[in-house]
Amino acid sequence: MKLSIKAIVAAVALGVAGTAWAQVSPEELEQLGTTLTPWGAEIAGNADGSIPAYTGGLSGAPAGYDSASRRLLDPFKDEKPLFSIDAKNMAQYADKLTDGAQELMKRWPDFRIDVYPTHRTIFQTEERADAALKNAANPECKTSEDGVGVRGCWGGTPFPIPKTGYQAMWNAMLRGDAYVERRFQNHLIDASGTRTLVNDSVGYVEYPYLDQAQKPYEGRGIYYWRYRNDTLAPTRDAGQRNLLLYPLEFDRLDSRVWSYTTGQRRTRLAPEFSYDTPSASLAGALFYDELSLFSGRMDRFDFELVGKKEIYIPYNTYRIDYTPVSEVTGPKFINPDVLRWELHRVWEVKATRKAGKRHVAAERTFYLDEDSWAILSAEGKDDTGKLFRVAFAHIQPNFQGSAIVGSGAGFYDLTKGQYLLTGYVDPKSGYVKIDGKNDDRLYRSESMAGSGVR
């Protein structure tokens, strides 16, 4: 891999040298593959060693892994916490805690985070790393003038050295595994502490953008994300289908969203399934643009790249999917015993609602993992500046040979006093299938009705 990186850097640096409007300078480009990974993370650890150097990630299966199980195995199941943080000692660690984490500690004295040794487990294939290098050096790989669309990029991180908040957010939206089939559950815990199964589903995810065999920006290649959700339970909702197609050139193309309901037995276009429209399939507890903590068009906010910082964040959270949901969900928050928090470097992006635009959030903050570009935490403030939404992703790096990760999340609605557990892979029924390729017919609207009738 090192030889490939050096060859690419040498070749593209020649092309960048005379190009005034390239995203990165020749000097910056030389950092990729030397002091930075090809996708832009700092290779070195931090000053006190609490964040180790990046050494390639988790590129092989842990001992005892059974490929037939279709479940990710926890390689750190025997590790113990280094220390814990709660309301009593949070001031000592305030510089490494998000506002959201501190708010949860203030509200609930028994809320805590258990901090474990940091492991930089994200693995990138050589193909994906090479694509990131080519994107960085390609002057045609850029966002639209307003940042809302992206073009000229393909196959890997588009902006390893981001210059704007829009570029960083595109890095987040264009990361993932090329093809994933996942059976998971979503549970709502209301203000009284009652847990309700909102949705038991099979989700089919693909990122055509990450498929090197796909011709860029043609056919299905006009979309960066195609997602289909088939509901299995509860009984009243079984058979419902949703299909979302999100384009790369969001500045000139719109998303395509279809919904099939068993009661009507028809498939309809659902353009309203966007922005801050509450998702009916998630009991209205999640906005459509909160999928993966953020997804969709970025035209209602100004996205500012604040900078990089070190924070404690849920990471390598394999344990949660090996624990019965009755032990995962507490009456006010997710059981601290099933979550693993680590110190990682993140990019902070602040989104401020544009004048004249409508959205329930006036301001949003996103924290993006430097190693995976996944959004690890998101926060929302209302028009009074009050924090009303806090979310943490449960990141589970994949060691099965493809690039990044599948994960669930915890979304806290501070106004209603409830929270939503998403993407939970139940120990008995859930699974994650990352190898192979999803059938293209899954992503055609005409296929939804026939498979959705119960």
Side-chain angles (χ1 to χ4, degrees), residues 22-78:
Q23 272 88 2
V24 296
S25 67
E27 293 75 23
E28 289 174 315
L29 187 62
E30 288 290 341
Q31 298 175 35
L32 298 175
T34 54
T35 59
L36 302 176
T37 65
W39 52 96
E42 294 178 47
I43 293 176
N46 64 355
D48 64 7
S50 53
I51 297 177
Y54 181 77
T55 57
L58 190 63
S59 58
Y65 171 66
D66 178 8
S67 60
S69 70
R70 298 204 295 183
R71 300 183 65 82
L72 298 175
L73 188 66
D74 185 356
F76 313 115
K77 60 184 179 63
D78 296 326

Side-chain angles (χ1 to χ4, degrees), residues 47-357:
D48 64 7
S50 53
I51 297 177
Y54 181 77
T55 57
L58 190 63
S59 58
Y65 171 66
D66 178 8
S67 60
S69 70
R70 298 204 295 183
R71 300 183 65 82
L72 298 175
L73 188 66
D74 185 356
F76 313 115
K77 60 184 179 63
D78 296 326
E79 288 190 349
K80 304 298 182 184
L82 299 173
F83 56 91
S84 298
I85 306 173
D86 58 19
K88 295 177 182 177
N89 64 348
M90 60 180 281
Q92 179 182 346
Y93 301 99
D95 63 326
K96 290 183 171 58
L97 294 171
T98 64
D99 289 345
Q102 294 183 68
E103 179 62 27
L104 298 186
M105 291 177 187
K106 292 174 184 176
R107 286 185 175 232
W108 302 300
D110 50 343
F111 178 87
R112 74 175 197 278
I113 68 173
D114 293 334
V115 178
Y116 288 76
T118 297
H119 295 284
R120 299 178 68 180
T121 43
I122 298 301
F123 166 67
Q124 289 268 24
T125 62
E126 183 171 351
E127 179 181 71
R128 194 77 63 85
D130 289 351
L133 286 169
K134 291 177 181 177
N135 286 335
N138 178 12
E140 298 302 319
C141 174
K142 55 189 176 183
T143 66
S144 57
E145 197 168 314
D146 59 4
V148 174
V150 68
R151 52 185 60 100
C153 317
W154 196 256
T157 302
F159 309 107
I161 303 178
K163 305 295 185 181
T164 69
Y166 293 94
Q167 289 185 349
M169 294 299 288
W170 272 114
N171 286 346
M173 291 191 289
L174 298 183
R175 59 92 199 148
D177 289 297
Y179 302 97
V180 179
E181 178 185 332
R182 180 184 181 95
R183 181 171 177 179
F184 62 94
Q185 298 176 355
N186 302 306
H187 294 266
L188 179 67
I189 295 78
D190 66 19
S192 69
T194 301
R195 183 183 71 251
T196 302
L197 173 65
V198 173
N199 194 285
D200 186 349
S201 301
V202 176
Y204 304 91
V205 180
E206 74 163 26
Y207 288 81
Y209 170 86
L210 297 173
D211 186 352
Q212 295 289 352
Q214 170 64 40
K215 194 165 185 179
Y217 300 84
E218 293 187 15
R220 68 187 184 95
I222 68 173
Y223 301 107
Y224 73 84
W225 189 57
R226 302 203 300 177
Y227 176 67
R228 172 166 163 167
N229 186 88
D230 293 2
T231 300
L232 305 177
T235 303
R236 69 178 183 275
D237 298 326
Q240 292 185 1
R241 308 281 190 266
N242 286 320
L243 176 63
L244 291 78
L245 310 179
Y246 284 2
L248 288 156
E249 295 183 285
F250 239 138
D251 56 310
R252 68 180 192 86
L253 300 174
D254 205 351
S255 57
R256 303 286 285 172
V257 182
W258 286 269
S259 176
Y260 173 84
T261 56
T262 53
Q264 297 177 347
R265 294 199 173 188
R266 71 183 183 93
T267 301
R268 68 178 184 89
L269 272 171
E272 72 275 13
F273 289 3
S274 60
Y275 299 114
D276 56 352
T277 299
S279 170
S281 64
L282 293 172
L286 194 71
F287 304 138
Y288 270 92
D289 67 2
E290 290 180 310
L291 298 174
S292 298
L293 276 65
F294 182 84
S295 63
R297 179 175 275 157
M298 291 188 283
D299 62 332
R300 294 194 178 181
F301 291 84
D302 290 315
F303 289 83
E304 175 194 359
L305 186 62
V306 177
K308 192 179 283 190
K309 63 192 304 183
E310 297 178 6
I311 62 171
Y312 295 114
I313 206 76
Y315 214 99
N316 295 313
T317 57
Y318 303 94
R319 183 186 310 159
I320 194 171
D321 290 340
Y322 282 87
T323 306
V325 70
S326 59
E327 298 177 27
V328 170
T329 55
K332 297 297 182 183
F333 46 81
I334 294 171
N335 181 3
D337 292 339
V338 303
L339 284 182
R340 176 192 181 98
W341 296 67
E342 299 179 2
L343 184 67
H344 284 265
R345 285 185 293 242
V346 300
W347 288 97
E348 181 180 357
V349 176
K350 190 172 294 293
T352 304
R353 190 179 58 209
K354 292 183 176 181
K357 293 290 186 178

Side-chain angles (χ1 to χ4, degrees), residues 377-415:
S377 181
E379 300 167 357
K381 292 183 178 180
D382 61 21
D383 287 323
T384 68
K386 185 178 180 180
L387 196 65
F388 75 92
R389 180 84 91 203
V390 175
F392 293 103
H394 304 147
I395 188 171
Q396 299 166 345
N398 167 41
F399 48 79
Q400 298 182 64
S402 53
I404 309 286
V405 21
S407 64
F411 290 85
Y412 294 88
D413 186 328
L414 303 182
T415 302

